[in-house]
Amino acid sequence: MTPELALIGVLAAPLTQAVLVLMLARPPGLRDVMHVSLSLFTAVCAARLVEAAADGEIVRVVLARPLPNVDLALSVEPLGALIAAVAGGLGVLHAVHTVGLVRASHEPAPARMMAFLALASAAAMAVAFSANLFTMFVANQALTLAVFPLVAHRGDEESRKAARVFLGVLLAASVGLFLPAMVWTYALVGALDFQAGGMLAGRVDTLTANILLTLFVLGLAMAAVPPLQRWLPASSVAPHPALVTIQGVAVLPAGGVGVIKVAAFVFGPALHDAAFAARGLIVLAGLGMCAAAVIALSRQNLRERLGYSCIAQSLAVVMGALLALPAGLFAAALQIVAVACAATTLTMALGTVSVLTARENAADFAGLGRAMPWTFAAFALASASMIGMPPFSGAWAKLWLITASAGAGLLWAAALAGLAAVLTFAHLGPLAANALAGEAPQNPFVRADGASIALVAPVVLSGAATLWLLLVADPLASFLSPVWTPP
Amino acid sequence: MSADWLDLARLHAPLIAILAPLLGAAASLCIPSPRWSWAIGVLSAAAGALIAAELAVRVLWLNETPPNVVEGVMLSPDGVGVFAAALISVCTAIALIAGVTSSEAQSSHFAPLAIALALFAGGGWIAATLASDLILVLLAAETAWLASVGLLVLSGERHAALNGALRMLIAGAVGSALSVTGLALIWRSSGDLSVAALALAEATSPWGEAVGVGLVLSGWIVKAGVAPLGFWIGSAFSRASVLAALCIGVVGIVSALMLIARIAAHAFAMPEVGGGLSLALAAIGGLAIAAGSVQAIGARNLRRLAAYAGAAQAGGVLLCVALGSPAGFAAALVQTTALAAAMLALYAAAGAGGVDSLDTLDGLARRAPLAGVAVMFGAVSLIGAPLTIGFLGRWRLVEAAVGVGWWWAVGAMTFASLAAVFYAGRLIERAYFRHLRVAPAAQGDGWRVMLAPALLASIVLVAVGLAPGALLQAADAAASAFGVAP
């Protein structure tokens, strides 16, 4: 498969998947096979693109030219390829888990849900491979519009309200902040294509750089930077497969990738000119991490707790990206990978537990690990990774983040990152420990036939994935180096 | 032989583009059967649209010189006029097609009259955009306006329709008074009322000329329904039939905006006029965006909402015109095309789906999926979502505005988009994520025909958004001869 074909494939496969699952809604077996096999094909295409990026191949596909001098285009670079490969791999597990979940829960509209999950996946891939700011803007809007029906999926007043918050915050930030920043950049540079080394480098004064950075980072509300984080807790009413998409494989990673691309490819060295805004945003991110972790601690409902926990993790990506150091960008990229693996595991585990035991409150989890040992083993691994315990993925990301913060002379930022990790331990550690060590409840299952393998295996494999950064951290650093090294 | 006839038709294309709907109107009036009357009306409007579109292709894409033949009454098609005539004639034809249920719903006695009035309105507006003389522009536009008022009178609910028509009549009178006063001032200052002379006139009193042009444009602004001067649109649209809504909300408003662009394009060449005109149009445009957006957010009736949203978008067009540069005029043409397509999609889909109040929009996507698609595309274009023609229009405005340092215009368009997220996003949410609670209006079989224009407009919204080259080329060619950098 040529890289160009693979690049078209990562976008076309999920779009085809969406159409096919709707057209072949019955029999369910055929629908499910389509859903999983096309997710697998997307992952294979993404893996091919990692290879192309590692070989330094220049791959670019122009989809349309909707504006003079501005293409709707995808291109392959290491950061996008890495995130796409991780999202694609996790997407396969997510697809299998969704199949198990919709069958176990007798979901009334499974085909519609799967179709929008696939559309969200396509949009997330488009964000990862966006070749310019315009494509990223379009892909972000598409992702918002694809996930909006997932949040409103239940169709009751509560979910509609949550969907309105989701749509309102993300679209308003995108239109009100990101779009003006994009226009401004176009006025300054005359183009919108991403460049290693930063398209604004040497072309922007200090004041403009500070304003632009603020507009870009807040405009990428998918990164959940306060005060534009409301959409994430609100969306916790969504069905579990949608939660995996939002927190694990699509929306939050897209926000993170967006911030890193802006920092590396739009600003580059010009980030030093925007030091004032960058510091302000780092303070916001650091305080936001701690506040979100504290709020998570106060939530008994695990959907809400995980939502706030994911905010804290996502803000670590923002902090790393804005440190204006290669180490910070590397930490941010690792953090996206780590959070994707851990959040996917936790939300899928939550879905499995919910559908099998109808329990979603922290207090009700005590001892459930004895009844569902595989699921809770994965839950514990993912929790440890979120907390930042060695040797899991999250530990390396946090280590690099703290090192980069100290390297940038921002010891207080390193301290905030450390404090957030402690608070994350407080809201996830005891939960996992209590589930595994507590007394097993009597008759925990609401389903007589227990869990199918489709509900457990993806959770376990995704949990195991939190270990993989231990093996590949060094190769990843050299793989990602073109992101911060101009050609 | 046929080639000779074709050449003759091409030579007189502007006149035929005007006469086709007017002759169709006369023929429609003579036929008592509503269906036959409608068919003849559609055919004549389509013939006019074909001729106007062919003229636009020749002038704007193939760079031929516009025909300038003395037709008894003088027509002088310039780039903006040719673009406008093509857009208005196509909108008229589509409005006629989509208005099929209106003619059925009205009593058979009045249906031919309604179709004739719609054609009169279209023909009048086309004549106004092609006329060489300001007096002729005024007369043609007044004909079109009065025909639109008559069409509204014939709309379904008599009392509400009369109320709306009365307000339209008052607005028209105010607009006409302003325009006539303006014409008198221009005549007194320059002694010449031809449109082209606005750019050349050596005024004895530049101040009088400037005020005159301002008053003429104010008259059109009232008729374009631009907030806060569009006091008539709420009551006019709330109970209008589909045909009336399309003829007033799409054909009428688009035509008035095109007239503003055309007159301003000529007037900006006068240094005495340019500065003040730019300031006034920019102020009214900004105000219109704010007022129209707020009114649209508060609207509870789909047609009202669309009308207010149109008024906000019209504010954007005025901002483009206010730039006074070729880029600004080109942006105005693109924005007006976007406005026309979005309004066509919304009004026709509302008609096809039997939607009146927003409550009847609930669950539209389930009971009428294609109408739901049209509402969705109309709404996303109003938001200015990328890959739609609405985004293209705003981008061109922003590009032109940034080029001359009008950063506040970027803020105004951002506000317009943000407000549209709320009012247009609500349309999508209601159509796709709610269940029907209020029964929609009863419909005949005409909704099937009505869907065609709604879907066509939706396809245009996206297709032009994806591949805008042809539209941009036409707009640039139309505007290239006009304007100066402010």
Side-chain angles (χ1 to χ4, degrees), chain B residues 104-134:
Chain B
E104 286 177 351
Q106 289 160 0
S107 73
S108 59
H109 186 64
F110 288 120
L113 181 59
I115 290 161
L117 286 172
L119 286 164
F120 265 121
W125 286 121
I126 295 168
T129 56
L130 292 174
S132 64
D133 190 276
L134 284 170

Side-chain angles (χ1 to χ4, degrees), chain A residues 372-386:
Chain A
M372 304 171 71
W374 288 102
T375 302
F376 275 92
F379 188 93
L381 289 181
S383 298
S385 181
M386 288 276 252

Side-chain angles (χ1 to χ4, degrees), chain A residues 64-68 70 72 112 134 137-138 141 148-149 152 160 164 171-172 175-176 179-180 182-184 186-187 192, chain B residues 366 383 385-387 391-392 395-396 398-399 402 407 410 414 417-418 421 425 428-429 433-435 465-468 472:
Chain A
R65 175 166 278 195
L67 296 169
V70 180
L72 186 70
R112 192 180 78 200
F134 176 74
F137 175 66
V138 173
Q141 300 243 15
F148 171 62
R160 278 208 302 269
R164 278 199 291 271
L171 274 190
V175 171
L179 181 59
M182 187 173 85
V183 170
W184 199 340
Y186 183 77
L192 291 174
Chain B
R366 283 193 185 82
I383 292 171
L387 307 187
F391 180 80
L392 182 69
W395 180 269
R396 290 311 296 252
V398 165
E399 208 177 15
V402 168
W407 282 98
V410 180
T414 303
S417 288
L418 282 175
V421 167
I428 299 172
E429 195 251 349
F433 298 102
R434 292 202 186 188
H435 297 284
L466 278 170
L472 293 181

Side-chain angles (χ1 to χ4, degrees), chain B residues 194-481:
Chain B
S194 68
V195 176
L198 282 175
L200 310 169
E202 292 176 357
T204 53
S205 164
W207 182 86
E209 180 93 358
V211 173
V213 170
L215 287 173
V216 168
L217 290 181
S218 302
W220 305 132
I221 287 171
V222 171
K223 287 175 179 164
V226 174
L229 303 175
F231 56 88
W232 55 274
I233 58 172
S235 54
F237 282 92
S238 57
R239 289 288 181 269
S241 67
V242 177
L243 183 60
L246 284 165
C247 282
I248 300 166
V250 182
V251 179
I253 287 177
V254 163
S255 304
L257 289 173
M258 285 294 184
L259 280 178
I260 292 168
R262 184 170 180 237
I263 303 295
H266 287 276
F268 263 106
M270 294 175 60
E272 297 86 357
V273 176
L277 190 59
S278 176
L279 194 65
L281 286 175
I284 295 172
L287 204 58
I289 288 173
S293 299
V294 170
Q295 286 176 308
I297 289 172
R300 293 283 174 271
N301 175 294
L302 180 61
R303 288 191 193 122
R304 257 182 201 253
L305 186 150
Y308 291 135
Q313 307 281 324
V317 177
L318 292 189
L319 280 188
C320 298
V321 174
L323 286 165
S325 60
F329 289 121
L333 300 183
V334 175
Q335 282 248 42
T336 310
T337 310
L339 168 65
M343 292 296 128
L344 275 173
L346 284 177
Y347 287 129
V355 177
D356 184 5
S357 69
L358 286 186
D359 288 338
T360 55
L361 184 65
D362 291 354
L364 178 70
R366 283 193 185 82
R367 61 188 163 82
L370 293 177
V373 167
V375 167
M376 182 178 72
F377 281 123
V380 295
S381 184
L382 285 179
I383 292 171
L387 307 187
T388 64
I389 188 173
F391 180 80
L392 182 69
R394 284 176 196 183
W395 180 269
R396 290 311 296 252
L397 165 60
V398 165
E399 208 177 15
V402 168
V404 294
W406 281 24
W407 282 98
W408 62 268
V410 180
M413 292 317 291
T414 303
F415 171 79
S417 288
L418 282 175
V421 167
F422 288 95
Y423 63 74
R426 193 172 49 170
L427 299 183
I428 299 172
E429 195 251 349
R430 277 182 172 268
Y432 280 86
F433 298 102
R434 292 202 186 188
H435 297 284
L436 180 67
R437 287 178 299 174
V438 180
Q443 301 173 80
D445 290 337
W447 65 269
R448 292 189 179 88
V449 181
M450 208 184 285
L451 262 181
L455 289 175
L456 179 68
S458 306
I459 290 167
V460 168
L461 283 168
V462 178
V464 177
L466 278 170
L471 175 65
L472 293 181
Q473 186 188 341
D476 287 340
S480 59

